[in-house]
Amino acid sequence: GAGVSQSPSNKVTEKGKDVELRCDPISGHTALYWYRQSLGQGLEFLIYFQGNSAPDKSGLPSDRFSAERTGGSVSTLTIQRTQQEDSAVYLCASSLTSGGYQETQYFGPGTRLLVL
Amino acid sequence: AQTVTQSQPEMSVQEAETVTLSCTYDTSESDYYLFWYKQPPSRQMILVIRQEAYKQQNATENRFSVNFQKAAKSFSLKISDSQLGDAAMYFCAYRKSFGNEKLTFGTGTRLTIIP
């Protein structure tokens, strides 16, 4: 079946502008994660959604970052007043949850964000 | 807090040979999962192999196998019969078993396959 999809694939923006990144998880997956991968670094957790529960926002680096998940499916990560240090690849992942145990996370292709 | 360490930023191997990528981790949990993900230039993170900590038997997926040493908190990946398509960044990752837990990643190892 279809995997996790993300759009846009690449985004170039000017410092100070707002951007929205979209993630469409695998159908039926109740858990959705956002990660950030800065140049030459591993992945850094940003935010997690599980069903209708309150999201785990513990990884968001500042209040300029926010995310929502509508209808338990598509998620949007918004970065307000972008800064050059926000330049990175933003990866989304989804997984099933069964009996409180989460299954393997499957990743999308990511959005490469460049802030000029 | 859990940490994952990959001490080899880069590795290279001749095509058809075997290579081992190292990973160590730190946790106070007794039950958890460990993963190896592959990230080719396309950026797509692809699951290579997964190990449940409660299982003593090392996971194997075709040419990929792990050496899981729970007491030493070590989780290495062995790639046998290396192929050109194996060239990628490889990330080791940790996750608690139960609950809403994120993956904690190492900084990755870039694997080059020499024809």
Side-chain angles (χ1 to χ4, degrees):
Chain A
V4 178
S5 61
Q6 293 186 246
S7 61
S9 179
N10 295 282
K11 176 71 175 179
V12 180
T13 190
E14 294 179 349
K15 178 181 174 181
K17 300 278 190 181
D18 297 353
V19 296
E20 286 190 351
L21 312 180
R22 176 189 168 106
C23 172
D24 203 337
I26 293 172
S27 178
H29 280 194
T30 55
L32 187 148
Y33 298 81
W34 284 96
Y35 294 87
R36 178 169 70 175
Q37 185 177 24
S38 301
L39 185 63
Q41 300 296 313
L43 276 72
E44 169 193 19
F45 165 76
L46 296 177
I47 189 170
Y48 161 77
F49 295 90
Q50 171 58 53
N52 296 322
S53 301
D56 176 356
K57 304 179 182 179
S58 60
L60 294 179
S62 77
D63 58 7
R64 296 186 296 105
F65 287 73
S66 63
E68 63 177 19
R69 188 178 185 191
T70 55
S73 181
V74 172
S75 178
T76 302
L77 176 69
T78 301
I79 309 173
Q80 295 179 314
R81 306 181 302 282
T82 52
Q83 303 294 312
Q84 288 181 331
E85 60 262 29
D86 298 335
S87 296
V89 174
Y90 289 83
L91 290 156
C92 175
S94 71
S95 69
L96 286 167
T97 303
S98 177
Y101 289 85
Q102 293 202 352
E103 300 299 324
T104 298
Q105 293 180 28
Y106 294 91
F107 284 80
T111 294
R112 184 182 298 280
L113 174 66
L114 178 61
V115 183
L116 301 176
Chain B
Q2 292 80 25
T3 59
V4 177
T5 301
Q6 292 180 252
S7 59
Q8 306 155 314
E10 297 184 351
M11 292 282 286
S12 61
V13 62
Q14 294 276 355
E15 193 175 2
E17 296 296 310
T18 295
V19 64
T20 298
L21 308 183
S22 300
C23 173
T24 58
Y25 59 94
D26 188 23
T27 182
S28 58
E29 301 289 330
S30 60
D31 198 13
Y32 49 86
Y33 292 114
L34 295 165
F35 304 83
W36 279 98
Y37 280 90
K38 166 185 177 181
Q39 187 180 42
S42 66
R43 294 199 311 249
Q44 183 92 43
M45 294 285 283
I46 302 165
L47 178 68
V48 174
I49 200 164
R50 156 181 159 152
Q51 175 81 43
E52 290 87 347
Y54 67 87
K55 291 186 177 179
Q56 293 188 348
Q57 186 172 8
N58 289 323
T60 299
E61 289 287 342
N62 300 314
R63 297 183 295 106
F64 299 86
S65 61
V66 298
N67 183 2
F68 173 47
Q69 302 289 329
K70 191 172 183 179
K73 295 180 181 174
S74 171
F75 182 62
S76 61
L77 175 69
K78 185 172 82 171
I79 306 174
S80 303
D81 185 26
S82 297
Q83 300 177 0
L84 294 177
D86 295 334
M89 283 290 289
Y90 285 80
F91 291 95
C92 179
Y94 162 99
R95 197 196 81 207
K96 290 182 186 178
S97 284
F98 187 82
N100 306 331
E101 289 299 331
K102 61 187 182 293
L103 287 166
T104 299
F105 288 86
T107 52
T109 297
R110 181 175 301 282
L111 178 65
T112 300
I113 310 296
I114 303 167

